[in-house]
Amino acid sequence: MILNTGNFYRFFLAFTLACGVAGTAGALEDDRGRSLAPLPAATRIVSLAPHATELVIALGAADRLVAVDPHSDAPGLDAKLPRVAAYPNPDPEKLLALRPDLVLVWGEGLSAVMLARLEAMGFRVFVSQPRQLEDVATSLERMGALLGRGEAASELAQRYRERLEAITLRYASRTQLPIFVQIWEMPLITIGAGTFMDDALARCGTRNLARGLSGASPRVAMESVLAMKPALIVSTVSSADDSRWRRAGLVGDSPGNARFIRFVDPVLERPSPAALDALERLCAEIDTRRAR
């Protein structure tokens, strides 16, 4: 029965794509370099990533969402929408029952095997994986094309780029604070180069001391952090305080000691337009410590 449903669904999608509006624009690429036809515009969307949900809502298409992942919590989201597990693997049967014409997934958490399986079942899948703050604007434009809201997406992307540039100009040229970011306590884990948070910190006028380490989330020993000699510790752990760093002799109130900030804002970890609100708050917090 499942196989028959899948066959029907593959036929339905193929037929819909073939009968799209004449003059269909050329295919666009997702963040894995895969080509997707922008038409027909998606009207039944399943979002399996919080940032993708926020992109859809930002584009004024919240009413097209038929299901989201368990962690999507953006303002304007219908709390009654069905929740579909996203990782480690989405449930293909649940997706079939929802009859989406577009499935949005986060590239970091989706294996090539599962992606191939979803495509084989006939789903139009868009892989979204913005790595830098600038990538959010591009994601808006691509998503706008898939939703038939290209003009609105272009305007939103332009406003986003202008605001991002203004924040960067305000803070990035200031005294570069050497910084260490703590995203986990036991074991001690930080952020590497090429990550969304690393980009945010650079725009706030800091120098991430872990950029030379291997991986996006490298483990690091306390001795290594002491050797880095950061001027500022930023922790994204909600339960963290500076006691550990004080015991190690790194953080203190005397001149020459590092300062500590606990900055917990999951929005900054989500590549969506709302990330700029969190970026401004983070830059302002860092600037206060810089002034001291």
Side-chain angles (χ1 to χ4, degrees):
M1 179 62 72
I2 294 175
L3 180 61
N4 290 339
T5 304
N7 287 338
F8 171 79
Y9 193 73
R10 283 194 293 273
F11 170 79
F12 173 78
L13 279 183
F15 178 81
T16 305
L17 289 169
C19 297
V21 178
T24 298
L28 57 85
E29 288 189 348
D30 67 6
D31 288 332
R32 283 198 183 172
R34 300 162 52 256
S35 295
L36 285 85
L39 291 177
T43 59
R44 293 185 60 81
I45 304 168
V46 172
S47 173
L48 299 180
H51 82 274
T53 302
E54 293 181 21
L55 290 171
V56 172
I57 293 174
L59 289 166
D63 59 331
R64 303 190 198 182
L65 290 165
V66 295
V68 295
D69 70 288
H71 302 291
S72 286
D73 57 1
L77 181 65
D78 184 353
K80 297 179 181 178
L81 279 176
R83 301 281 171 159
V84 179
Y87 306 106
N89 291 311
D91 186 332
E93 291 186 37
K94 286 187 177 180
L95 291 177
L96 281 172
L98 289 163
R99 298 180 293 108
D101 52 18
L102 180 64
V103 180
L104 306 174
V105 298
W106 179 49
E108 192 71 28
L110 188 72
S111 69
V113 172
M114 177 52 67
L115 177 57
R117 183 182 178 190
L118 293 176
E119 287 188 308
M121 295 179 71
F123 295 114
R124 182 163 59 151
V125 182
F126 183 85
V127 180
S128 177
Q129 191 174 353
R131 297 183 182 277
Q132 305 286 294
L133 283 154
E134 170 64 29
D135 295 341
V136 173
T138 304
S139 294
L140 283 167
E141 291 165 341
R142 291 174 176 174
M143 198 81 71
L146 289 171
L147 272 58
R149 297 186 60 82
E151 184 175 346
S154 295
E155 294 175 359
L156 187 58
Q158 181 62 28
R159 291 199 301 270
Y160 177 91
R161 289 189 176 105
E162 290 172 355
R163 185 180 174 194
L164 176 60
E165 181 180 11
I167 296 171
T168 304
L169 289 174
R170 190 184 318 158
Y171 294 104
S173 61
R174 300 190 182 182
T175 303
Q176 296 288 300
L177 285 178
I179 190 172
F180 177 79
V181 181
Q182 171 191 359
I183 63 172
W184 200 257
E185 283 196 289
M186 298 296 288
L188 188 56
I189 298 178
T190 186
I191 59 167
T195 59
F196 202 69
M197 185 68 168
D198 177 63
D199 184 28
L201 291 167
R203 294 175 185 275
C204 289
T206 71
R207 178 166 52 90
N208 177 17
L209 295 172
R211 294 195 98 244
L213 300 181
S214 177
S217 305
R219 291 177 59 168
V220 60
M222 174 63 79
E223 294 75 18
S224 298
V225 180
L226 296 177
M228 292 176 183
K229 298 182 179 179
L232 184 64
I233 304 287
V234 174
S235 177
T236 63
V237 182
S238 59
S239 60
D241 58 29
D242 64 1
S243 58
R244 178 182 191 182
W245 304 105
R246 285 182 178 272
R247 289 194 301 270
L250 182 58
V251 169
D253 302 319
S254 302
N257 284 136
R259 297 296 186 259
F260 177 88
I261 296 175
R262 182 174 61 246
F263 188 85
V264 182
D265 194 333
V267 174
L268 190 56
E269 302 168 9
R270 297 179 183 176
S272 75
L276 294 187
D277 296 331
L279 177 65
E280 283 200 303
R281 290 192 292 271
L282 176 62
C283 290
E285 284 264 12
I286 290 172
D287 215 41
T288 298
R289 302 307 192 277
R290 181 186 286 112
R292 293 177 183 174

